[in-house]
Amino acid sequence: QLLLLDEPFSQLDPLLRKQMGRWLSDMKRTWDIPMIMVTHDREEALTLGDQFLILREGITQQSGTLENIYYEPANKWVANFMGVDNVVDGMKSGTKVTTFMGDLEIHPNCANVRDGPVRIALRSEWLQLDTTSPIKATIEGSAFRGEYTEVKARVSGEMVVIKQLGFSAYERGLETGIRLTPPNVWCLQKEMV
C-alpha cells in the first residue's frame, strides 16, 4: 500500500544507482504505489519524486512540485541545493531587475517581491556563450564533466558558471559574449538569503 525508502541507493556505484532508479520509477508507475523516500541525492529525488519536501537541519525550507522547486526556489539555500550555480545581486524596480547583465525581466511570480536589493537565481544552463551578444565575458576556465562542459566566465566583474552540452575546450582569457536564454529570471528578497 505504501513504499517507504530510506536512502535506498546510497551504497551503489553510479551506473547501478541509475539503473535501480529507472527500475524503481517503472515499478512505481506500473503498480501505482505511493512512495515516501528520504535521500540526500538531488538526482535521485528528481528522478523519482512528484512532490517534494526539502528540509535543512530538520526545518522545512520548501515544499511543492518539481517545477515549483526547480524554477522558483524559496531561498538561496534551496536554490543552491537544486543546482543553481549563480545567485547574484540585483536591484528590482517594478517588473525589471538591474544586474551585471543589464536590465532583465522578472518572473511574474516575483511580482510580490519588494522593490530594492534582491538576489537573482540564474541556472548555469540558462546562460550561453554567444560571440554576437553585447554582454561581454572573459573565460576564466573550463572543465569537462562527462555530459557537459562547465565554463567559468567573468562578466562585468561577476564570476558565473555556464554549462555547455558536450565536450568543449575554452582557453583561459578568451573574450566572448554571453546571453540569457529564458525570457525572465527568478528573484528572492535579499534578506531571505
Side-chain angles (χ1 to χ4, degrees), residues 6-183:
D6 185 5
E7 299 193 48
F9 311 134
S10 62
Q11 300 300 316
L12 303 178
D13 65 69
L15 181 59
L16 190 53
R17 183 181 298 208
K18 196 173 272 192
Q19 291 170 342
M20 291 299 292
R22 279 192 223 112
W23 173 79
L24 191 56
S25 178
D26 290 344
M27 183 181 77
K28 179 181 149 212
R29 222 179 1 264
T30 302
W31 292 353
D32 196 26
I33 297 175
M35 177 176 73
I36 296 175
M37 184 170 96
V38 175
T39 182
H40 291 91
D41 186 295
R42 179 180 67 232
E43 191 174 322
E44 273 178 26
L46 299 180
T47 300
L48 295 168
D50 299 316
Q51 292 288 320
F52 299 85
L53 175 64
I54 298 179
L55 303 173
R56 179 181 183 196
E57 297 175 4
I59 298 169
T60 298
Q61 299 296 304
Q62 188 170 357
S63 63
T65 65
L66 171 59
E67 184 175 8
N68 171 249
I69 291 171
Y70 184 85
Y71 288 109
E72 304 169 4
N75 56 44
K76 184 179 179 184
W77 188 87
V78 173
N80 288 333
F81 179 78
M82 292 304 294
V84 177
D85 295 307
N86 307 298
V87 179
V88 299
D89 290 336
M91 185 65 70
K92 181 184 175 289
S93 178
T95 62
K96 300 236 183 252
V97 62
T98 302
T99 72
F100 68 95
M101 293 183 66
D103 288 342
L104 304 173
E105 195 74 26
I106 64 163
H107 191 283
N109 289 0
C110 297
N112 62 344
V113 173
R114 290 188 309 275
D115 285 355
V118 292
R119 296 279 186 146
I120 307 304
L122 297 173
R123 299 194 72 84
S124 51
E125 61 269 25
W126 294 350
L127 299 171
Q128 294 295 309
L129 297 177
D130 180 354
T131 56
T132 65
S133 173
I135 303 167
K136 298 304 172 198
T138 304
I139 303 298
E140 296 289 333
S142 65
F144 183 55
R145 302 286 185 212
E147 296 173 359
Y148 62 90
T149 300
E150 182 180 272
V151 181
K152 290 188 179 173
R154 189 166 300 281
V155 182
S156 301
E158 288 276 349
M159 186 70 78
V160 293
V161 175
I162 305 159
K163 286 182 182 162
Q164 299 282 112
L165 276 179
F167 173 77
S168 299
Y170 296 99
E171 286 186 35
R172 183 182 169 96
L174 176 72
E175 299 287 329
T176 186
I178 191 173
R179 67 180 167 83
L180 181 67
T181 57

